[in-house]
Each structure stands twice: as structure tokens, then as C-alpha cells.
Amino acid sequence: MDNLIYKLFQNFQLSLPELSLSNLVSWIASGSIMFGGIVPYIPQYLQIKRTDNADGFSTYVCLALILANLLRILFWFGHPFEFPLLAQSVIMLATMLVMLHLCTQVKAMQEISTRKRKFTDPNDDSLKTSSSSQQLLVASPLKAFIDFDARYFWQWSRFRDYVLFLAVFTLTGALVNYLFLGFFVYVELIGFLAVFTEAMLGSPQFYRNLQNKSTQGMSVQMVCFWLSGDLFKTGYFVVNEAPMQFWVCGILQVSIDVAILLQVYCYRGQQPRRKVVQAPSSAHIS
């Protein structure tokens, strides 16, 4: 059997890489880089799925990661880097789309549930609003990407609107990349924007916690995975002599992760602030 496998590799002129400790460590590190990025979002995904509530998770985290990885792929065409980092970008794009799909689905179900409670349980004080607010609640319009309303950017009602935005962004980025790929400054700028956007992915979650004065609904496990992953990733960048943009922004990521964990300590036991529903002025009601 062993001879058969050996002859098969000889016929196809293939050779197995030498199995050594250094190669084994390198393969494990590459696999961790490729698939380790999705691990922090598993507990957050399960928590949203279990509670049917996505209020504690900022979908702008998904936006930051999607844009960062799309820019990183564009950067690869001008400044090729290691394959595991490129594969990581593709895998993270798919992961963020899955997270967005779940959040959109949960928020849509919450809205339907709220409407049912509103008009079947008049004694529910938490849902009492003015008559004008009731009318708006019944006929609340869908928030769509094609409306081009900046007030509802990345707060659209349907998952397909997010996909449409990403398709437009990708096609536009690909065209610009094709036109300016020969310019060194452009390539380096794309690389910096990619890693800087990814470095800031924790900032929307930090801001959401700051607004709520609470970290309830946010998976602490997710942030701990962020921190451990970012520490590992930054070290990987330094050891493998990745472009400077990668490891500098890696340090920034670690700093934001630590800041969010400090929020967990400072806001421990606090409930999130409730959003007050206000009816718009009559001047806006036809």
C-alpha cells in the first residue's frame, strides 16, 4: 500500500513536504489564521439564536470586518501576501454574512412580535404609545438600500439589501483597483485602509456598550476570543515579516479589545438603557 502511494506521487511528479516540527507548527499556525477568526463569533451567534435578541451585538462590527476583508483582497492584487491571510479574508466574509442574516432575521421577528403584543395586549405598559405612533407601527416602511437614506445606513430591513450594498462596493472597488493598481501609493493606501478598518472592528461594539451603559447581550466569550486571536495574529505578523500595516493595526486591535473588557468590569450588573419611542411631530404626518 505504501509503495502504491509512493508510485502515485511519482507518476504525478508530486512530492510530500518534509515532516518536521517547524513545518508542523507552521501548518497549525496557518490553519489557525485561516479559521481562527470565525471562532469568536460562534458564542455570539449561539447567544443571539438562543435569546432571539440581537440588541446587544452591533452589526457595525460586521460592516467593519466585511469592508476590511474586501479591501485586503484588493490589496493582495497589488501586494501579494501569504495565502492563509487571503483565505482568512474569504472565510471571514462568509462568516459576517451569516451573522448579518441571523441579526436581520431576529430583528424582523422582534418587530412582528412587538406589533402583535401591541394590538393584542392593551395592558402591556411597555408598549403603550400615542395613536399616531400606533399607525406608524402598523405601516412602518421597509428600510432599503435603494432608498439611499443615510439615516438608515446599515440598518436595513432585509438581508438582500446588505448583499446588494456589498455587490456595489465590490464592483466599484474592483474597477478602481484595475485603474490604479500600478500606482505604489494607491496600493499601500488600500493596504493601510484594510488593516485599519479591521483594527477598528471593536469600536462599534465599544460605542454600543457606552450608549447602553451595559454589556448585556454581548458575548464576553467573543471579546476574549478577539483578544487571544489578535495577540496571536499580531505575533504571527511580526514573525512572518508581514507588511508593517498588519502588525501596527494588530496592536490597535488588542488595545480596543482590552478597553471592551474594561467596560465589562465597569458595567457589571447594569441593565441596558431602554429606548424611548417618540411619535414624530404632526407636521410630518400626512
Side-chain angles (χ1 to χ4, degrees):
M1 184 67 181
D2 292 341
N3 291 334
L4 180 61
I5 295 175
Y6 178 75
K7 288 180 180 179
L8 182 63
F9 275 94
Q10 273 192 329
N11 290 337
F12 286 95
Q13 296 182 342
L14 297 174
S15 60
L16 288 172
E18 181 184 353
L19 183 60
S20 63
L21 181 60
S22 59
N23 283 341
L24 185 60
V25 171
S26 178
W27 295 339
I28 294 174
S30 296
S32 299
I33 285 293
M34 290 169 60
F35 297 100
I38 70 175
V39 174
Y41 300 95
I42 295 175
Q44 183 66 74
Y45 182 93
L46 295 176
Q47 182 170 330
I48 294 173
K49 194 82 172 174
R50 184 179 65 254
T51 62
D52 285 330
N53 190 325
D55 292 341
F57 175 71
S58 174
T59 54
Y60 287 100
V61 170
C62 299
L63 173 63
L65 268 177
I66 287 173
L67 294 184
N69 285 286
L70 284 174
L71 289 171
R72 184 191 288 183
I73 293 172
L74 294 176
F75 176 59
W76 181 85
F77 287 97
H79 189 160
F81 44 80
E82 289 191 334
F83 174 77
L85 295 177
L86 180 63
Q88 181 201 46
S89 295
V90 177
I91 293 169
M92 286 305 299
L93 282 174
T95 303
M96 290 302 101
L97 288 175
V98 170
M99 289 293 297
L100 271 177
H101 182 266
L102 176 64
C103 291
T104 306
Q105 191 177 46
V106 167
K107 288 178 180 178
M109 293 302 296
Q110 279 181 328
E111 185 176 353
I112 293 172
S113 176
T114 300
R115 290 178 184 178
K116 287 181 179 178
R117 289 171 57 204
K118 175 64 191 175
F119 297 106
T120 59
D121 188 3
N123 296 322
D124 192 341
D125 294 334
S126 65
L127 296 171
K128 286 183 178 179
T129 57
S130 65
S131 59
S132 60
S133 295
Q134 293 179 8
Q135 295 173 1
L136 290 172
L137 189 60
V138 173
S140 59
L142 291 175
K143 303 168 187 174
F145 167 65
I146 57 175
D147 293 336
F148 302 109
D149 191 335
R151 294 174 301 171
Y152 302 125
F153 177 76
W154 210 251
Q155 299 176 30
W156 303 308
S157 303
R158 298 169 299 187
F159 176 68
R160 65 186 183 189
D161 289 297
Y162 294 93
V163 176
L164 179 59
F165 167 79
L166 295 177
V168 172
F169 181 88
T170 302
L171 291 175
T172 304
L175 177 61
V176 174
N177 214 46
Y178 175 77
L179 295 174
F180 296 99
L181 198 58
F183 294 91
F184 174 79
V185 174
Y186 166 78
V187 173
E188 293 302 311
L189 178 62
I190 287 293
F192 173 77
L193 289 176
V195 292
F196 181 76
T197 304
E198 183 177 359
M200 298 301 292
L201 78 90
S203 57
Q205 189 63 58
F206 180 87
Y207 181 68
R208 169 66 63 88
N209 297 340
L210 192 64
Q211 278 188 315
N212 293 340
K213 299 299 182 186
S214 171
T215 58
Q216 184 174 333
M218 180 198 75
S219 172
V220 179
Q221 284 181 304
M222 177 185 72
V223 183
C224 291
F225 279 128
W226 275 356
L227 179 59
S228 59
D230 291 338
L231 286 170
F232 173 80
K233 185 169 59 178
T234 303
Y236 180 87
F237 292 155
V238 174
V239 171
N240 287 274
E241 299 181 350
M244 183 184 66
Q245 298 100 318
F246 283 82
W247 58 265
V248 169
C249 290
I251 295 173
L252 179 58
Q253 275 185 282
V254 172
S255 302
I256 296 175
D257 296 341
V258 172
I260 295 176
L261 290 177
L262 287 175
Q263 285 183 319
V264 173
Y265 176 77
C266 294
Y267 296 147
R268 62 190 184 282
Q270 295 189 29
Q271 296 295 319
R273 292 179 174 178
R274 289 184 176 273
K275 295 181 180 179
V276 179
V277 179
Q278 295 181 343
S281 61
S282 58
H284 295 285
I285 301 177
S286 56

